[in-house]
Amino acid sequence: MFTKRIFIYICLFCAAWSLPANAQKEADAVQAAMAVVINKYSTQADTVAKELSARFNKDVAIQTALARAYFRNNEREKTRLYLDKAFAISDKYVPSYILKGDMYGEWDVDSACYWFQKAIDADSLNPDGYLKYATVMARKDMDAAKAKLEELRNAVPTYNVDIEIAMLYNKKGMDAEAAEAMSAVDPHSLTMNQLVQFVQNCYWSQDDIKCMELCLIGADKFPKNKGFNRLYFWSATRAGMYAEALDHGKIWFAEAKDSVNSIDYFSLGSCYLGLSNFDEAFDNFAKISSCTDYFVSQMDGQIRQMLNKNVDVLKSEQRFKDALNLYKLFMEKYPSSDKAYMLYQYASIYRDWQENLQGDEKLSVINQMFKVYEQLENEYPTWDNLHYVLYTHARWTYAYFDPENKDCLAEPLYQKLYDYCVTKEEQTDQLKSMEIEACRYLASVAYFTRHDLKTARVWWNRILNIDPEDENAQKALKTIKK
């Protein structure tokens, strides 16, 4: 029965025996075998390495392979030992320079690139030096990294440099730039992993048309990869192609099994939402809460965006009742932590609706909007944006229901607006403007409607406390004195 040591010798010497007939391939085999030896049989590793180094003491590939194996195991002194032996044998072996650069690449960009440039100088047709240089330099200077890859394009015109440029952008999370670089490449020539990355770049940079085009290529070329169908489903949904997206979505759900995530449910719900099947839409949105993937936390905002997108479409088609019903159903089926904001958005549908109406029909819609405002005021009196509601309610009451100010219908609303504004710690320009308008109205009611000069003077002086240069308040106070 063989001992471990005999087994190790057999593996390593068989890997190295045919050198130098296919030096790099065999050196890679030695490196891989040594990595196993170092990790699993550490007590014998150094002995095996020394004997192997002595056996091939004139072979730069073996010495470099031994150095690389120790580098992978984070043993830097032994890495240097065998790398020095490699350089002593030859100063033209590219993998030696690459390893030297890798040793610096973890912490010193300039030193690493110095050695990668040495690799390029040793063999300008070998792409490894260019690629390593660009990868490390991209951490410091993307333009310099791209310039090095352009040198590779000039040296080896057949090398697909655009893919490498795209990979650099991928590592920096720059999806749009990566997709732009990859667009120069024939997608049919890409490997599956490269095409998957290209599709993802297009999706995350929101180029849905290109994403769908690439997904069709991927699904045809790599039919076993169902992810292309999934990304088509996602992109078609975002592009508003709901019927087509739903067809692809159903196929994906039939294949996905345990791979369904929050984006899948969101996309499926969005398709039904766009096709006005609201119950099915919100049922799928509700399933997101059972997911545990990274994107779950983002889905609340995404659902609201999709809701508003559909509401905007309905409003553009003058289907305001449908828009209101959709928003009401959303609030019932998908409760929000910011209910006040949702009610305010609901009221805004009435506000847009009245713009195209006249007479009693217009006033009826405004009154319905006011009912929502009153609900907001009563249920959420501390809402940070309540001043928007009070301000709009007061202005429109004055403009549409009491334009001549005979009944002073807006007075209690302007009083509430003023009281709210002065309680806010941060007095923004917007709050000050609203506060001045409230004071102006209340001063005018006291002066013109009630002939209460004392109260009117108080309100105009409050305007000057906010803005001492207000000419209307100054003029009004002078008039009272006369």
Side-chain angles (χ1 to χ4, degrees):
M1 186 174 181
F2 290 118
T3 64
K4 289 181 180 178
R5 181 163 177 167
I6 293 173
F7 173 75
I8 295 164
Y9 279 138
I10 291 174
C11 290
L12 285 169
F13 282 105
C14 286
W17 194 257
S18 62
L19 286 169
N22 194 353
Q24 186 57 59
K25 181 178 179 181
E26 302 303 338
D28 289 343
V30 170
Q31 175 197 319
M34 274 302 302
V36 173
V37 173
I38 293 170
N39 285 320
K40 293 189 176 182
Y41 311 110
S42 57
T43 56
Q44 294 101 335
D46 292 345
T47 300
V48 172
K50 288 177 183 178
E51 294 180 9
L52 194 59
S53 177
R55 168 69 176 79
F56 298 99
N57 62 347
K58 298 296 183 182
D59 198 299
V60 65
I62 289 294
Q63 306 301 328
T64 304
L66 293 172
R68 174 65 73 175
Y70 277 112
F71 178 77
R72 287 176 58 181
N73 202 49
N74 203 31
E75 295 189 43
R76 295 297 182 260
E77 288 301 321
K78 294 170 186 175
T79 300
R80 293 187 184 92
L81 171 66
Y82 291 105
L83 194 53
D84 287 344
K85 291 183 179 184
F87 281 123
I89 298 169
S90 173
D91 62 354
K92 298 295 183 183
Y93 189 58
V94 170
S96 299
Y97 288 115
I98 296 295
L99 177 54
K100 190 73 171 181
D102 286 344
M103 292 176 69
Y104 286 101
E106 300 170 334
W107 53 278
D108 187 340
V109 170
D110 292 334
S111 295
C113 288
Y114 169 83
W115 289 102
F116 295 143
Q117 184 61 51
K118 286 279 192 180
I120 296 169
D121 296 339
D123 183 359
S124 62
L125 299 182
N126 188 323
D128 291 348
Y130 299 95
L131 299 177
K132 285 284 189 175
Y133 187 113
T135 299
V136 173
M137 180 55 72
R139 303 203 308 255
K140 177 181 178 182
D141 186 337
M142 190 65 178
D143 289 337
K146 289 170 59 181
K148 187 57 64 175
L149 290 177
E150 292 300 333
E151 289 182 24
L152 172 58
R153 194 196 302 273
N154 293 331
V156 188
T158 57
Y159 197 92
N160 211 330
V161 168
D162 294 299
I163 292 177
E164 303 298 340
I165 294 175
M167 293 302 116
L168 292 184
Y169 281 122
N170 280 328
K171 290 178 181 178
K172 297 178 77 68
M174 302 169 69
D175 295 296
E177 291 80 359
E180 182 180 358
M182 196 71 90
S183 64
V185 182
D186 178 6
H188 295 86
S189 69
L190 299 175
T191 66
M192 185 178 70
N193 289 339
Q194 290 170 342
L195 187 56
V196 166
Q197 186 64 65
F198 192 6
V199 168
Q200 290 177 344
N201 291 145
C202 291
Y203 178 77
W204 293 119
S205 60
Q206 302 194 31
D207 188 347
D208 293 316
I209 302 303
K210 185 66 175 180
C211 184
M212 289 186 286
E213 175 191 329
L214 294 172
C215 284
L216 292 177
I217 294 173
D220 180 62
K221 188 175 180 180
F222 308 106
K224 291 185 178 180
N225 188 330
K226 305 304 180 183
F228 291 109
N229 186 73
R230 181 190 218 175
L231 265 296
Y232 191 101
F233 164 45
W234 290 1
S235 282
T237 300
R238 192 166 58 188
M241 302 165 60
Y242 300 121
E244 185 174 347
L246 188 58
D247 290 339
H248 285 265
K250 288 178 178 178
I251 295 172
W252 164 249
F253 270 84
E255 299 170 339
K257 298 181 180 179
D258 296 330
S259 300
V260 175
N261 67 10
S262 61
I263 301 180
D264 294 320
Y265 285 124
F266 167 74
S267 298
L268 195 60
S270 297
C271 288
Y272 284 118
L273 192 65
L275 296 171
S276 298
N277 188 340
F278 300 149
D279 288 329
E280 195 72 33
F282 292 120
D283 285 345
N284 278 283
F285 287 153
K287 292 176 183 177
I288 291 174
S289 61
S290 65
C291 297
T292 58
D293 57 273
Y294 170 81
F295 301 101
V296 171
S297 62
Q298 304 174 28
M299 286 299 107
D300 279 352
Q302 294 294 320
I303 291 171
R304 286 194 183 90
Q305 286 184 20
M306 187 57 69
L307 171 72
N308 291 332
K309 180 179 179 180
N310 281 269
V311 166
D312 288 342
V313 170
L314 293 172
K315 289 193 297 185
S316 70
E317 297 173 351
Q318 302 298 302
R319 296 166 60 190
F320 290 99
K321 288 184 179 180
D322 289 337
L324 288 164
N325 289 336
L326 171 56
Y327 220 98
K328 185 177 181 180
L329 183 63
F330 175 76
M331 289 189 292
E332 291 173 353
K333 291 216 168 191
Y334 204 81
S336 169
S337 58
D338 195 353
K339 294 181 180 178
Y341 176 74
M342 298 302 295
L343 277 174
Y344 183 73
Q345 291 291 91
Y346 182 64
S348 71
I349 300 175
Y350 284 112
R351 189 172 62 195
D352 293 335
W353 187 6
Q354 62 80 35
E355 289 182 358
N356 301 307
L357 302 176
Q358 300 293 331
D360 291 342
E361 191 176 12
K362 183 184 188 78
L363 298 181
S364 174
V365 172
I366 294 174
N367 267 321
Q368 292 177 75
M369 178 182 72
F370 282 176
K371 288 181 181 178
V372 182
Y373 283 170
E374 289 167 0
Q375 181 183 353
L376 257 170
E377 183 186 345
N378 292 332
E379 294 182 10
Y380 305 99
T382 60
W383 185 45
D384 285 343
N385 297 302
L386 188 63
H387 55 286
Y388 286 120
V389 173
L390 296 171
Y391 179 69
T392 307
H393 199 169
R395 290 196 74 187
W396 286 32
T397 297
Y398 179 42
Y400 292 105
F401 295 96
D402 193 17
E404 296 181 6
N405 212 23
K406 291 181 179 178
D407 300 315
C408 303
L409 296 179
E411 182 180 7
L413 294 166
Y414 272 118
Q415 181 68 58
K416 288 179 181 178
L417 175 61
Y418 173 80
D419 292 340
Y420 180 90
C421 290
V422 297
T423 61
K424 302 298 287 184
E425 291 184 6
E426 183 181 357
Q427 288 294 304
T428 63
D429 290 341
Q430 182 187 69
L431 282 172
K432 289 178 182 178
S433 176
M434 291 182 179
E435 189 178 341
I436 287 173
E437 182 169 337
C439 291
R440 200 181 312 281
Y441 175 90
L442 294 168
S444 298
V445 166
Y447 180 62
F448 292 108
T449 307
R450 301 200 178 101
H451 305 290
D452 183 352
L453 300 184
K454 181 179 179 181
T455 302
R457 185 179 293 110
V458 169
W459 288 112
W460 274 316
N461 275 314
R462 286 177 177 171
I463 292 175
L464 293 178
N465 288 335
I466 303 168
D467 179 10
E469 304 299 323
D470 189 289
E471 294 181 358
N472 291 325
Q474 291 174 351
K475 184 177 180 180
L477 287 171
K478 290 179 180 178
T479 301
I480 290 176
K481 288 179 180 180
K482 293 180 181 179

